[in-house]
Amino acid sequence: MDSVSNPYTPNAGAAPEIVVGRDDQTDTFTVLLQRLERGRTEQSMIVTGLRGVGKTVLLGRFGDIARAANWEIIEIEASKHDDSHFRQTMFSQLKSALLRLSPRARWTDRGRRAAEVLSAFALSVTADGTLAVGWDVPAAEGLADHGDLGMDLTDVFVALGEAAKEQGRGVALLIDEVQFLRTTQLEALIQAVHKTVQRKLPITFVGAGLPQIAELAGDAKSYAERLFKFPTIGSLAGEDARKAITEPAAGEGVQFESDAVDLAIEITKGYPYFIQELGYQVWGIATDGVITAADVEMAREAYESKLDSSFFRVRLDRSTPLQTAYMRAMAELGPEPQKASDVAQVMKRESTQLGPTRAELIDMGLLYTPEHGYAAFTVPDFDKFMLRAVPELLVPEIRRRAPRKAE
């Protein structure tokens, strides 16, 4: 069929033609905004899930809902930067939000106060030892100038929240890939939101990330579990999976036969990204307005090849030989979460020898720890890919650092 009219979108973060199975999360977000608008408190949320389940798409949907409610939206994809870079990124985004809330010429006392607090937050020391700010607004004294990221960001959130409340509006900070925030940065965001909840201000932080986020947030601040909900999203099931497969095609006047849908669900296991990729490949094979099980079966090889060369391969290519060997050993044991000692046994090594490698893979976002002592892949079906991509289990030598000589 015509590739231009192909309704499937197998791209990172691209919203599909329809979003199904996420009504609970969108309803929760809508209630959050409405309660904050009324000066009431409500738990914010950080959505967790594996790669390819639609976390980024869901954040985008949250942004649409908030814009429709006349909220200011700040959208950030977290990355591994130091606190100074994080501070500058936050300053730039929050400054823009303030100016959208109220142009400088219309600033009230609260608006100008928020601008001054932002200036204090962005103060930096230049190479010649002088102080520099991010814009031509004098810095407030005694606010956002503590030198502590958590205290400073809290002052900014409170000032901006007060300015937004005065305008009868709100600010929602949407952060994707939350697991890549440093502990100090996540702690600062949680601390800042905590204070705005206490002040009943219309400003909040909503995030999305891999499954370890709930644990990381709890480690950052013990009260995080009371401040946030941590809904988990995964594969689509039942009627939701069928709708995700069939409705994009129906919008183009194309129908799936029932057994074709069943086979598509069997192949993709209902994972949203996999559905988009399979649908895209099937569309290129089908020749009329009806998609059959034979079309789906014929598309399977191209579907698996595309996943292998892009979705899976890009993650494997980032790993060292020892990291690759560790993941291959996990795949040898199966798709379930694997105990560190069992992986070490497959590799004929001690767990202590492989501890750093396991930690590196977690830090890279390739593994997560569903429970103490266990690790699992963050990508669905990654175990099958590893068996295909690395047919033999080869374990490189673990080089030990030579002890330093006594001086």
Side-chain angles (χ1 to χ4, degrees):
M1 289 184 285
D2 178 17
S3 60
V4 175
S5 62
N6 193 328
Y8 298 94
T9 56
N11 298 302
E17 293 288 310
I18 63 163
V19 177
V20 297
R22 307 301 183 223
D23 290 346
D24 286 349
Q25 292 77 37
T26 54
D27 289 347
T28 297
F29 182 75
T30 300
V31 169
L32 169 66
L33 299 188
Q34 291 175 349
R35 287 184 62 83
L36 293 181
E37 285 174 353
R38 298 186 181 191
R40 292 175 177 167
T41 63
E42 181 67 15
Q43 284 179 301
S44 188
M45 64 174 158
I46 300 178
V47 180
T48 69
L50 301 181
R51 298 290 186 192
V53 297
K55 300 185 299 298
T56 301
V57 169
L58 186 57
L59 271 191
R61 179 69 184 126
F62 289 167
D64 293 340
I65 292 170
R67 290 186 191 92
N70 202 29
W71 278 55
E72 280 303 329
I73 304 304
I74 299 169
E75 295 174 300
I76 296 175
E77 181 177 325
S79 54
K80 296 179 180 180
H81 290 300
D82 61 25
D83 289 354
S84 176
H85 186 280
F86 175 80
R87 186 182 286 261
Q88 288 302 315
T89 298
M90 292 298 297
F91 164 73
S92 176
Q93 295 287 346
L94 293 168
K95 179 186 76 171
S96 296
L98 175 61
L99 292 172
R100 292 193 300 268
L101 280 170
S102 177
R104 187 186 297 215
R106 299 179 186 172
W107 278 348
T108 62
D109 289 344
R110 288 189 185 277
R112 177 163 293 281
R113 188 62 168 171
E116 292 171 350
V117 173
L118 273 168
S119 288
F121 181 74
L123 272 175
S124 60
V125 180
T126 63
D128 60 5
T130 60
L131 289 176
V133 296
W135 59 346
D136 60 342
V137 175
E141 295 184 4
L143 291 171
D145 59 1
H146 312 286
D148 176 273
L149 183 60
M151 295 174 67
D152 292 348
L153 191 61
T154 297
D155 287 345
V156 171
F157 268 39
V158 168
L160 185 60
E162 289 175 342
K165 183 177 182 179
E166 185 179 50
Q167 297 292 326
R169 301 183 61 195
V171 179
L173 175 62
L174 308 179
I175 300 184
D176 200 4
E177 303 286 7
V178 173
Q179 73 278 353
F180 290 135
L181 292 172
R182 292 191 172 195
T183 300
T184 52
Q185 297 160 8
L186 182 57
E187 183 180 42
L189 284 164
I190 295 171
Q191 182 176 335
V193 170
H194 189 213
K195 182 59 67 174
T196 63
V197 168
Q198 292 174 331
R199 299 285 185 91
K200 299 182 178 180
L201 296 173
I203 180 170
T204 192
F205 148 55
V206 175
L210 295 176
Q212 64 261 40
I213 290 304
E215 181 181 356
L216 294 176
D219 290 344
K221 286 292 184 183
S222 60
Y223 52 74
E225 62 183 22
R226 287 169 283 148
L227 195 62
F228 291 91
K229 297 173 183 176
F230 295 93
T232 299
I233 62 174
S235 61
L236 300 172
E239 191 59 27
D240 287 334
R242 301 185 78 85
K243 286 181 179 179
I245 292 167
T246 61
E247 290 195 4
E252 295 292 334
V254 176
Q255 302 298 316
F256 271 79
E257 291 185 348
S258 181
D259 57 348
V261 179
D262 293 341
L263 180 57
I265 293 174
E266 178 186 331
I267 292 171
T268 63
K269 298 182 177 67
Y271 281 104
Y273 182 83
F274 292 178
I275 287 173
Q276 296 301 310
E277 187 62 72
L278 181 61
Y280 188 89
Q281 299 300 333
V282 169
W283 191 268
I285 286 174
T287 56
D288 55 35
V290 176
I291 294 174
T292 67
D295 294 328
V296 175
E297 186 60 52
M298 194 179 300
R300 187 199 290 252
E301 184 176 0
Y303 157 79
E304 291 180 348
S305 177
K306 181 66 184 302
L307 288 179
D308 282 2
S309 64
S310 57
F311 186 71
F312 292 132
R313 174 61 65 178
V314 70
R315 290 166 172 82
L316 179 59
D317 287 349
R318 294 164 49 204
S319 61
T320 66
L322 185 56
Q323 290 166 352
T324 297
Y326 193 95
M327 291 189 291
R328 177 59 175 78
M330 282 186 59
E332 189 82 10
L333 293 168
E336 301 83 9
Q338 301 300 335
K339 197 172 182 179
S341 59
D342 292 341
V343 179
Q345 186 175 7
V346 170
M347 298 178 70
K348 296 180 172 56
R349 299 289 188 273
E350 297 294 329
S351 292
T352 53
Q353 292 178 291
L354 297 169
T357 302
R358 181 174 179 271
E360 290 162 2
L361 289 167
I362 293 171
D363 187 57
M364 293 165 66
L366 295 174
L367 302 181
Y368 74 100
T369 52
E371 58 181 299
H372 181 70
Y374 286 78
F377 293 115
T378 59
V379 180
D381 282 352
F382 199 73
D383 60 305
K384 295 182 178 64
F385 165 72
M386 288 300 302
L387 296 176
R388 292 194 299 270
V390 187
E392 295 185 24
L393 177 62
L394 299 174
V395 183
E397 287 296 322
I398 302 174
R399 296 183 179 180
R400 298 181 181 273
R401 292 184 179 181
R404 297 180 65 179
K405 296 181 179 180
E407 297 181 359

